[in-house]
Short mmCIF file of all heavy atoms in Angstrom, two decimals:
data_model
loop_
_atom_site.label_atom_id
_atom_site.label_comp_id
_atom_site.label_asym_id
_atom_site.label_seq_id
_atom_site.Cartn_x
_atom_site.Cartn_y
_atom_site.Cartn_z
N LEU F 51 -3.46 -16.98 8.99
CA LEU F 51 -4.71 -16.76 8.32
C LEU F 51 -5.90 -17.65 8.76
O LEU F 51 -7.00 -17.23 8.86
CB LEU F 51 -4.46 -16.86 6.81
CG LEU F 51 -3.61 -15.77 6.20
CD1 LEU F 51 -3.20 -16.04 4.79
CD2 LEU F 51 -4.27 -14.44 6.31
N MET F 52 -5.52 -18.89 8.91
CA MET F 52 -6.54 -19.87 9.31
C MET F 52 -7.10 -19.53 10.70
O MET F 52 -8.22 -19.56 10.95
CB MET F 52 -5.97 -21.33 9.26
CG MET F 52 -6.96 -22.41 9.65
SD MET F 52 -6.27 -24.03 9.64
CE MET F 52 -5.48 -23.99 11.22
N ASN F 53 -6.14 -19.20 11.63
CA ASN F 53 -6.55 -18.86 12.96
C ASN F 53 -7.46 -17.64 13.03
O ASN F 53 -8.33 -17.50 13.90
CB ASN F 53 -5.38 -18.75 13.83
CG ASN F 53 -4.70 -20.02 14.22
OD1 ASN F 53 -5.36 -21.07 14.11
ND2 ASN F 53 -3.45 -19.99 14.67
N GLY F 54 -7.29 -16.74 12.03
CA GLY F 54 -8.10 -15.65 11.90
C GLY F 54 -9.45 -15.82 11.16
O GLY F 54 -10.13 -14.84 10.78
N ASN F 55 -9.67 -17.10 10.65
CA ASN F 55 -10.75 -17.50 9.85
C ASN F 55 -10.72 -16.83 8.45
O ASN F 55 -11.76 -16.50 7.94
CB ASN F 55 -12.04 -17.15 10.61
CG ASN F 55 -13.14 -18.08 10.09
OD1 ASN F 55 -12.91 -19.20 9.68
ND2 ASN F 55 -14.44 -17.55 10.04
N TYR F 56 -9.53 -16.68 7.94
CA TYR F 56 -9.30 -16.19 6.52
C TYR F 56 -8.86 -17.31 5.66
O TYR F 56 -8.30 -18.31 6.17
CB TYR F 56 -8.27 -15.00 6.50
CG TYR F 56 -8.63 -13.82 7.31
CD1 TYR F 56 -8.09 -13.58 8.54
CD2 TYR F 56 -9.60 -12.94 6.75
CE1 TYR F 56 -8.49 -12.48 9.24
CE2 TYR F 56 -9.93 -11.73 7.51
CZ TYR F 56 -9.38 -11.57 8.75
OH TYR F 56 -9.71 -10.42 9.44
N LYS F 57 -9.01 -17.09 4.36
CA LYS F 57 -8.57 -18.08 3.48
C LYS F 57 -6.97 -18.09 3.40
O LYS F 57 -6.34 -17.03 3.54
CB LYS F 57 -9.04 -17.84 1.95
CG LYS F 57 -10.47 -18.05 1.89
CD LYS F 57 -10.98 -17.76 0.44
CE LYS F 57 -12.43 -18.04 0.37
NZ LYS F 57 -12.93 -17.85 -1.03
N GLN F 58 -6.38 -19.25 3.29
CA GLN F 58 -4.89 -19.33 3.29
C GLN F 58 -4.34 -19.05 1.84
O GLN F 58 -5.12 -19.06 0.89
CB GLN F 58 -4.48 -20.70 3.72
CG GLN F 58 -4.96 -21.90 3.01
CD GLN F 58 -4.52 -23.22 3.49
OE1 GLN F 58 -3.43 -23.37 3.99
NE2 GLN F 58 -5.43 -24.24 3.46
N ILE F 59 -3.05 -18.77 1.83
CA ILE F 59 -2.46 -18.47 0.53
C ILE F 59 -1.69 -19.71 -0.09
O ILE F 59 -1.83 -19.90 -1.28
CB ILE F 59 -1.44 -17.35 0.77
CG1 ILE F 59 -2.03 -16.11 1.23
CG2 ILE F 59 -0.60 -17.11 -0.51
CD1 ILE F 59 -1.14 -15.06 1.70
N TYR F 60 -1.04 -20.45 0.74
CA TYR F 60 -0.16 -21.55 0.23
C TYR F 60 -0.72 -22.93 0.29
O TYR F 60 -0.15 -23.94 -0.17
CB TYR F 60 1.16 -21.52 0.99
CG TYR F 60 1.83 -20.24 0.91
CD1 TYR F 60 1.74 -19.24 1.93
CD2 TYR F 60 2.53 -19.79 -0.34
CE1 TYR F 60 2.40 -18.03 1.74
CE2 TYR F 60 3.07 -18.58 -0.41
CZ TYR F 60 3.02 -17.68 0.62
OH TYR F 60 3.63 -16.46 0.54
N GLY F 61 -1.94 -23.07 0.89
CA GLY F 61 -2.60 -24.45 0.92
C GLY F 61 -1.82 -25.37 1.81
O GLY F 61 -1.75 -26.59 1.53
N SER F 62 -1.39 -24.92 2.99
CA SER F 62 -0.60 -25.76 3.83
C SER F 62 -1.43 -26.25 5.05
O SER F 62 -0.88 -27.10 5.81
CB SER F 62 0.67 -25.09 4.33
OG SER F 62 0.34 -24.00 5.12
N GLN F 63 -2.54 -25.65 5.32
CA GLN F 63 -3.31 -25.98 6.54
C GLN F 63 -4.56 -26.86 6.27
O GLN F 63 -5.33 -26.50 5.40
CB GLN F 63 -3.68 -24.71 7.22
CG GLN F 63 -2.45 -23.82 7.57
CD GLN F 63 -1.53 -24.45 8.52
OE1 GLN F 63 -1.86 -24.95 9.56
NE2 GLN F 63 -0.25 -24.51 8.13
N LEU F 64 -4.69 -27.85 7.13
CA LEU F 64 -5.91 -28.67 7.15
C LEU F 64 -6.52 -28.55 8.44
O LEU F 64 -5.91 -28.33 9.45
CB LEU F 64 -5.56 -30.14 6.91
CG LEU F 64 -5.09 -30.47 5.45
CD1 LEU F 64 -3.57 -30.21 5.29
CD2 LEU F 64 -5.46 -31.88 5.11
N MET F 65 -7.86 -28.78 8.47
CA MET F 65 -8.69 -28.71 9.70
C MET F 65 -9.56 -29.90 9.71
O MET F 65 -10.36 -30.09 8.70
CB MET F 65 -9.43 -27.47 9.91
CG MET F 65 -10.31 -27.36 11.11
SD MET F 65 -9.50 -27.18 12.62
CE MET F 65 -8.98 -25.50 12.53
N ASN F 66 -9.49 -30.81 10.68
CA ASN F 66 -10.26 -31.99 10.75
C ASN F 66 -10.19 -32.84 9.46
O ASN F 66 -11.12 -33.33 8.93
CB ASN F 66 -11.65 -31.65 11.10
CG ASN F 66 -11.87 -31.03 12.37
OD1 ASN F 66 -11.17 -31.30 13.39
ND2 ASN F 66 -12.70 -30.00 12.40
N GLY F 67 -8.96 -32.94 8.92
CA GLY F 67 -8.70 -33.74 7.66
C GLY F 67 -9.10 -33.05 6.40
O GLY F 67 -9.01 -33.69 5.36
N GLN F 68 -9.66 -31.85 6.44
CA GLN F 68 -10.05 -31.11 5.26
C GLN F 68 -9.18 -29.93 5.04
O GLN F 68 -8.76 -29.20 5.98
CB GLN F 68 -11.48 -30.57 5.44
CG GLN F 68 -12.54 -31.67 5.66
CD GLN F 68 -12.72 -32.56 4.42
OE1 GLN F 68 -12.70 -32.05 3.32
NE2 GLN F 68 -12.83 -33.83 4.67
N LEU F 69 -8.84 -29.69 3.82
CA LEU F 69 -8.05 -28.53 3.44
C LEU F 69 -8.74 -27.25 3.70
O LEU F 69 -9.96 -27.16 3.34
CB LEU F 69 -7.65 -28.55 1.90
CG LEU F 69 -6.67 -27.69 1.37
CD1 LEU F 69 -5.30 -27.90 1.99
CD2 LEU F 69 -6.54 -27.83 -0.08
N TRP F 70 -8.11 -26.43 4.45
CA TRP F 70 -8.69 -25.02 4.72
C TRP F 70 -8.90 -24.34 3.46
O TRP F 70 -7.98 -24.46 2.52
CB TRP F 70 -7.83 -24.32 5.77
CG TRP F 70 -8.44 -23.11 6.27
CD1 TRP F 70 -8.15 -21.81 5.90
CD2 TRP F 70 -9.38 -23.02 7.34
NE1 TRP F 70 -8.88 -20.94 6.59
CE2 TRP F 70 -9.63 -21.64 7.48
CE3 TRP F 70 -10.01 -24.00 8.19
CZ2 TRP F 70 -10.55 -21.17 8.51
CZ3 TRP F 70 -10.92 -23.48 9.09
CH2 TRP F 70 -11.11 -22.11 9.29
N PRO F 71 -9.96 -23.46 3.29
CA PRO F 71 -10.13 -22.80 1.99
C PRO F 71 -8.88 -22.03 1.58
O PRO F 71 -8.18 -21.41 2.42
CB PRO F 71 -11.31 -21.83 2.46
CG PRO F 71 -12.05 -22.64 3.45
CD PRO F 71 -10.92 -23.29 4.26
N ILE F 72 -8.73 -21.93 0.32
CA ILE F 72 -7.54 -21.19 -0.30
C ILE F 72 -8.04 -19.97 -1.07
O ILE F 72 -8.99 -20.04 -1.88
CB ILE F 72 -6.78 -22.25 -1.21
CG1 ILE F 72 -6.34 -23.46 -0.34
CG2 ILE F 72 -5.63 -21.54 -1.89
CD1 ILE F 72 -5.88 -24.62 -1.22
N ALA F 73 -7.27 -18.93 -0.93
CA ALA F 73 -7.65 -17.67 -1.66
C ALA F 73 -7.56 -17.75 -3.19
O ALA F 73 -8.48 -17.31 -3.93
CB ALA F 73 -6.73 -16.56 -1.10
N ASP F 74 -6.50 -18.33 -3.71
CA ASP F 74 -6.26 -18.35 -5.12
C ASP F 74 -5.94 -19.80 -5.63
O ASP F 74 -4.77 -20.10 -5.68
CB ASP F 74 -5.13 -17.40 -5.55
CG ASP F 74 -4.85 -17.36 -7.06
OD1 ASP F 74 -5.49 -18.00 -7.76
OD2 ASP F 74 -3.92 -16.60 -7.42
N THR F 75 -6.97 -20.51 -5.98
CA THR F 75 -6.65 -21.89 -6.39
C THR F 75 -6.08 -22.00 -7.70
O THR F 75 -5.49 -22.96 -8.14
CB THR F 75 -7.98 -22.75 -6.20
OG1 THR F 75 -8.99 -22.13 -7.09
CG2 THR F 75 -8.44 -22.84 -4.75
N THR F 76 -6.40 -21.01 -8.59
CA THR F 76 -5.88 -21.05 -9.93
C THR F 76 -4.41 -21.05 -10.05
O THR F 76 -3.82 -21.80 -10.86
CB THR F 76 -6.43 -19.85 -10.76
OG1 THR F 76 -7.84 -19.90 -10.71
CG2 THR F 76 -6.03 -19.91 -12.18
N ASN F 77 -3.74 -20.30 -9.23
CA ASN F 77 -2.26 -20.10 -9.32
C ASN F 77 -1.49 -20.75 -8.08
O ASN F 77 -0.36 -20.52 -7.86
CB ASN F 77 -1.88 -18.54 -9.35
CG ASN F 77 -2.54 -17.90 -10.51
OD1 ASN F 77 -2.23 -18.23 -11.62
ND2 ASN F 77 -3.27 -16.86 -10.22
N LEU F 78 -2.25 -21.55 -7.38
CA LEU F 78 -1.75 -22.16 -6.18
C LEU F 78 -0.44 -22.90 -6.32
O LEU F 78 0.55 -22.60 -5.58
CB LEU F 78 -2.73 -23.13 -5.51
CG LEU F 78 -2.37 -23.76 -4.24
CD1 LEU F 78 -1.99 -22.68 -3.20
CD2 LEU F 78 -3.35 -24.72 -3.66
N ASP F 79 -0.30 -23.75 -7.32
CA ASP F 79 0.94 -24.52 -7.37
C ASP F 79 2.17 -23.65 -7.77
O ASP F 79 3.22 -23.86 -7.26
CB ASP F 79 0.84 -25.67 -8.45
CG ASP F 79 0.06 -26.81 -7.83
OD1 ASP F 79 0.04 -27.06 -6.62
OD2 ASP F 79 -0.50 -27.64 -8.67
N SER F 80 1.98 -22.70 -8.54
CA SER F 80 3.12 -21.73 -8.86
C SER F 80 3.40 -20.88 -7.60
O SER F 80 4.62 -20.65 -7.43
CB SER F 80 2.77 -20.84 -10.06
OG SER F 80 1.69 -20.08 -9.79
N ILE F 81 2.40 -20.47 -6.82
CA ILE F 81 2.68 -19.83 -5.66
C ILE F 81 3.42 -20.70 -4.63
O ILE F 81 4.41 -20.30 -3.93
CB ILE F 81 1.35 -19.27 -4.97
CG1 ILE F 81 0.71 -18.28 -5.82
CG2 ILE F 81 1.55 -18.82 -3.56
CD1 ILE F 81 -0.73 -17.90 -5.50
N ARG F 82 3.00 -22.02 -4.53
CA ARG F 82 3.73 -22.87 -3.69
C ARG F 82 5.08 -23.14 -4.11
O ARG F 82 6.11 -23.12 -3.30
CB ARG F 82 2.91 -24.19 -3.63
CG ARG F 82 1.65 -24.17 -2.88
CD ARG F 82 0.94 -25.57 -2.94
NE ARG F 82 1.70 -26.60 -2.32
CZ ARG F 82 1.66 -26.89 -1.00
NH1 ARG F 82 0.88 -26.20 -0.25
NH2 ARG F 82 2.46 -27.89 -0.56
N LEU F 83 5.34 -23.37 -5.40
CA LEU F 83 6.72 -23.56 -5.91
C LEU F 83 7.61 -22.41 -5.62
O LEU F 83 8.84 -22.59 -5.34
CB LEU F 83 6.65 -23.98 -7.39
CG LEU F 83 6.01 -25.28 -7.78
CD1 LEU F 83 5.77 -25.43 -9.23
CD2 LEU F 83 6.76 -26.45 -7.13
N SER F 84 7.08 -21.21 -5.70
CA SER F 84 7.94 -20.00 -5.42
C SER F 84 8.43 -19.98 -4.01
O SER F 84 9.43 -19.23 -3.63
CB SER F 84 7.13 -18.70 -5.75
OG SER F 84 6.15 -18.45 -4.63
N MET F 85 7.85 -20.68 -3.15
CA MET F 85 8.23 -20.80 -1.71
C MET F 85 8.95 -22.10 -1.40
O MET F 85 9.15 -22.43 -0.24
CB MET F 85 6.98 -20.66 -0.80
CG MET F 85 6.30 -19.29 -0.84
SD MET F 85 7.38 -17.94 -0.38
CE MET F 85 7.14 -17.87 1.37
N GLY F 86 9.35 -22.88 -2.39
CA GLY F 86 10.06 -24.06 -2.23
C GLY F 86 9.24 -25.24 -1.85
O GLY F 86 9.76 -26.21 -1.25
N MET F 87 7.90 -25.13 -2.00
CA MET F 87 6.94 -26.19 -1.57
C MET F 87 6.70 -27.11 -2.79
O MET F 87 6.75 -26.69 -3.88
CB MET F 87 5.71 -25.57 -1.03
CG MET F 87 5.91 -24.62 0.19
SD MET F 87 4.43 -23.65 0.56
CE MET F 87 3.59 -24.78 1.56
N LYS F 88 6.20 -28.28 -2.49
CA LYS F 88 5.67 -29.26 -3.49
C LYS F 88 4.38 -28.76 -3.95
O LYS F 88 3.71 -27.95 -3.33
CB LYS F 88 5.61 -30.65 -2.92
CG LYS F 88 6.94 -31.15 -2.58
CD LYS F 88 6.83 -32.55 -1.95
CE LYS F 88 8.31 -33.04 -1.70
NZ LYS F 88 8.33 -34.48 -1.36
N THR F 89 3.89 -29.29 -5.09
CA THR F 89 2.55 -29.01 -5.58
C THR F 89 1.51 -29.48 -4.47
O THR F 89 1.80 -30.27 -3.61
CB THR F 89 2.20 -29.76 -6.87
OG1 THR F 89 2.19 -31.11 -6.66
CG2 THR F 89 3.27 -29.42 -7.98
N LEU F 90 0.37 -28.94 -4.55
CA LEU F 90 -0.66 -29.29 -3.58
C LEU F 90 -0.94 -30.78 -3.67
O LEU F 90 -1.11 -31.38 -2.61
CB LEU F 90 -1.95 -28.52 -3.81
CG LEU F 90 -3.11 -28.74 -2.76
CD1 LEU F 90 -2.71 -28.41 -1.41
CD2 LEU F 90 -4.34 -28.03 -3.17
N LYS F 91 -1.03 -31.33 -4.80
CA LYS F 91 -1.36 -32.76 -4.98
C LYS F 91 -0.23 -33.57 -4.33
O LYS F 91 -0.58 -34.52 -3.51
CB LYS F 91 -1.47 -33.18 -6.43
CG LYS F 91 -1.72 -34.57 -6.72
CD LYS F 91 -1.73 -34.91 -8.27
CE LYS F 91 -2.05 -36.49 -8.37
NZ LYS F 91 -1.99 -36.86 -9.71
N GLU F 92 0.99 -33.28 -4.43
CA GLU F 92 2.03 -34.01 -3.82
C GLU F 92 2.01 -33.79 -2.28
O GLU F 92 2.27 -34.73 -1.53
CB GLU F 92 3.45 -33.39 -4.32
CG GLU F 92 3.76 -33.78 -5.76
CD GLU F 92 4.91 -33.12 -6.29
OE1 GLU F 92 5.13 -31.91 -5.97
OE2 GLU F 92 5.74 -33.79 -7.01
#
Side-chain angles (χ1 to χ4, degrees):
L51 290 169
M52 183 182 77
N53 286 341
N55 205 31
Y56 296 101
K57 292 181 179 181
Q58 60 181 322
I59 298 169
Y60 303 101
S62 66
Q63 302 298 306
L64 289 87
M65 177 71 74
N66 300 322
Q68 299 294 319
L69 188 62
W70 190 259
I72 300 166
D74 180 1
T75 56
T76 303
N77 299 303
L78 181 61
D79 282 337
S80 62
I81 292 168
R82 289 178 61 86
L83 292 171
S84 75
M85 296 298 275
M87 303 169 83
K88 295 181 178 190
T89 66
L90 182 63
K91 181 180 177 185
E92 292 170 318

